[in-house]
Structure formats: C-alpha cells, structure tokens
Amino acid sequence: MNKRVKDVVDAIVSAVQRVLDEREITESEYRTALHYLMKVAEQGETALLCDVFLNSTVVATKARLSSGSTPAIEGPYYRDDAPLVVDRLKTYDTDDHKPLLIRGTVKGVDGSVIDDVTIDVWHSTPDGKYSGFHDGIPSDFYRGKLRVRPDGSFRVHTTMPVAYQIPNDGPTGALLETMGGHSWRPAHVHFKVKAPGYETLTTQYYFEGGDWVTDDCCNGVESSLITPDMVEEGARVMNIEFVIEPVLAHAGANS
Ligand code: MBD
Ligand code: FE
C-alpha cells in the first residue's frame, strides 16, 4: 500500500468523474475517448500528449517551491547519452543555417561558483527535427553535455533552432486541431543543469520576437526565459545566467 499513490489516483479519478457527470458524457463519447487513448499509446505519443497538456503545471509547482532560475518543461526529446562537447555542437553545416552562440554562467542562489557543473544542451535542427528521434539524424547532433569552467562560465557554438511544430500527423496534433488550436512551439533551446548536491534545473530559453513566443501550444514560456535579441560577430547570442539551489529536503505535501 502506497498512500501517496492512493491519494493522488483517488483525486484524479474523482476529478475525471466530475467532468463526465457535468458534461453528460455519452457512452459513445466515452468509447471514442478510449480508442483515442489507445491510438496515442500505439503511436508512441503518450509522453507527447501529457507534455502538451500537463507538464507546464508540474513545472509551475516546482517553480513556486524553487529559489533558483525559472524551470521549464523538459519535452520528450532529452537523451542522457549525449556526447561531451567542448566548443561546438555537431550540426549539419549548410549555408542557410544561422549561427548561435550560447554562453553564460552558473551560480548558486548565494552567488557562489559551484564545482563540477554539467549542462545538457539540446535543440532542434534548422528544420525543426530532433536528433535521435526524427529522420535518422545521428543522436550526437544538436545536443551535448558541457562542462562548466572553474570560474562558473560556459560557452558553446551551434545553429539557430526554428519554431517547432510538434508532430501533427499523429493523435496529439489531431486533438489540438480538433480543439481549434495549433501545434506550434516557439524556437527554443533546452537545458539541464546538474551539479552534485544541487537540484537539477531543467529549463528552456526562447528568442525575443520569435514566432509563437506569445502563443506556445505547450504553454511553456515565461517572460524570464525569453532572451533579448543580441548579435555578435554575425551570431545570435543567447546569454544565460543560471542559478541553481542546493538539494531541497523534500517536504512534499503528502510525504
Ligand atoms: C518539444 O520540442 C518540446 O520541447 C516540448 C515541450 C513538447 C514537444 C516538442
Ligand atoms: Fe523542444
């Protein structure tokens, strides 16, 4: 018997039951929903569907309890097997790919420099695909692990990601369309900042003025995550000051 599981599942079930009742859901609608959920699982979109509708709420809870940088949703395309990268992510180098320099610092909430920090960086190709998931793009492209320098700084060169349409040939995209919405995310770069003894920070940063920054289908944008339009030596610069906090003694409401 796990009390937390019982408490949460009971709460979920009664919330859903209330909607079934209030909206007077018919048996045929209920069957349609079951078939839909089976299709989601069959097509491997369970994580995507949940990320679209639910992850931002979990992240908001985390943000409320955190004193570090603003967290954001992880999305379905993180890989822990990304290679260590020194200076530049592997990208396809064709002429129309715009250069991006990502740089900044990692510090503790008290302003201190932290030992042994690694930053996972991952983002889409210039055509909105993720390596290791889409179109056979090798999984060491457009992603990597950076070691933060002893002075707390980091920098890495890559190419600009683009506004990203989540796969809309599948059930998740179909549902968004049926609801009169869209399946676009603003261009973004994902980060996971890890250090021993510190809470892992999972976040994303966006580009000022970019398409869909104010209308993300995943509801993942916070104003503090939008980087100003800065260009140096022909490259868009994303300058980020990450702040991470020591491991929290976990005081979850029901633990
Ligand atoms: C993504 O690239 C993403 O970051 C999220 C959150 C959901 C779907 C695709
Ligand atoms: Fe993404």
Side-chain angles (χ1 to χ4, degrees):
M1 160 79 177
N2 180 319
K3 269 183 143 164
R4 173 76 167 162
V5 171
K6 173 157 175 51
D7 177 54
V8 172
V9 175
D10 277 347
I12 291 171
V13 170
S14 38
V16 173
Q17 285 170 336
R18 193 170 61 245
V19 173
L20 297 177
D21 182 44
E22 281 175 9
R23 296 294 190 274
E24 301 184 329
I25 298 302
T26 66
E27 284 190 297
S28 132
E29 285 172 331
Y30 173 70
R31 295 277 154 212
T32 302
L34 289 186
H35 284 125
Y36 177 79
L37 289 176
M38 288 190 286
K39 217 163 48 178
V40 169
E42 259 164 37
Q43 298 192 22
E45 288 195 359
T46 307
L48 181 63
L49 182 74
C50 293
D51 284 354
V52 167
F53 287 102
L54 304 174
N55 201 352
S56 66
T57 302
V58 176
V59 168
T61 304
K62 182 177 173 186
R64 200 173 64 230
L65 302 174
S66 159
S67 52
S69 297
T70 307
I73 53 184
E74 176 167 318
Y77 303 130
Y78 172 66
R79 292 183 66 116
D80 198 27
D81 61 355
L84 263 186
V85 163
V86 176
D87 178 53
R88 185 174 293 276
L89 301 189
K90 276 195 200 172
T91 61
Y92 292 120
D93 35 25
T94 51
D95 290 335
D96 56 338
H97 294 183
K98 298 195 185 89
L100 170 64
L101 169 62
I102 303 169
R103 65 153 192 241
T105 57
V106 179
K107 294 201 173 135
V109 284
D110 58 358
S112 59
V113 170
I114 296 162
D115 287 335
D116 198 10
V117 186
T118 303
I119 306 177
D120 273 282
V121 181
W122 71 105
H123 65 80
S124 80
T125 65
D127 352 286
K129 303 289 158 76
Y130 278 88
S131 73
F133 293 90
H134 301 135
D135 294 1
I137 303 160
S139 63
D140 58 340
F141 274 50
Y142 301 94
R143 61 176 79 238
K145 290 178 187 286
L146 314 177
R147 298 286 299 150
V148 173
R149 295 172 186 142
D151 68 354
S153 70
F154 65 91
R155 61 192 281 136
V156 66
H157 294 270
T158 182
T159 57
M160 283 288 286
V162 288
Y164 175 82
Q165 188 164 32
I166 66 171
N168 76 334
D169 47 356
T172 305
L175 180 59
L176 290 170
E177 238 158 69
T178 303
M179 293 166 66
H182 64 78
S183 46
W184 287 93
R185 301 214 61 226
H188 58 275
V189 180
H190 294 266
F191 300 92
K192 215 183 243 295
V193 185
K194 294 182 195 172
Y198 284 78
E199 291 286 329
T200 295
L201 170 68
T202 303
T203 191
Q204 308 185 20
Y205 280 78
Y206 306 88
F207 300 92
E208 182 184 7
D211 291 341
W212 308 106
V213 161
T214 55
D215 186 16
D216 173 13
C217 73
C218 290
N219 196 23
V221 185
E222 286 289 332
S223 57
S224 58
L225 301 175
I226 302 173
T227 59
D229 196 1
M230 193 199 312
V231 175
E232 270 173 28
E233 293 167 17
R236 174 73 160 81
V237 178
M238 195 176 231
N239 188 57
I240 303 174
E241 290 174 13
F242 291 113
V243 176
I244 59 177
E245 65 186 337
V247 170
L248 301 169
H250 216 288
N254 295 283
S255 58

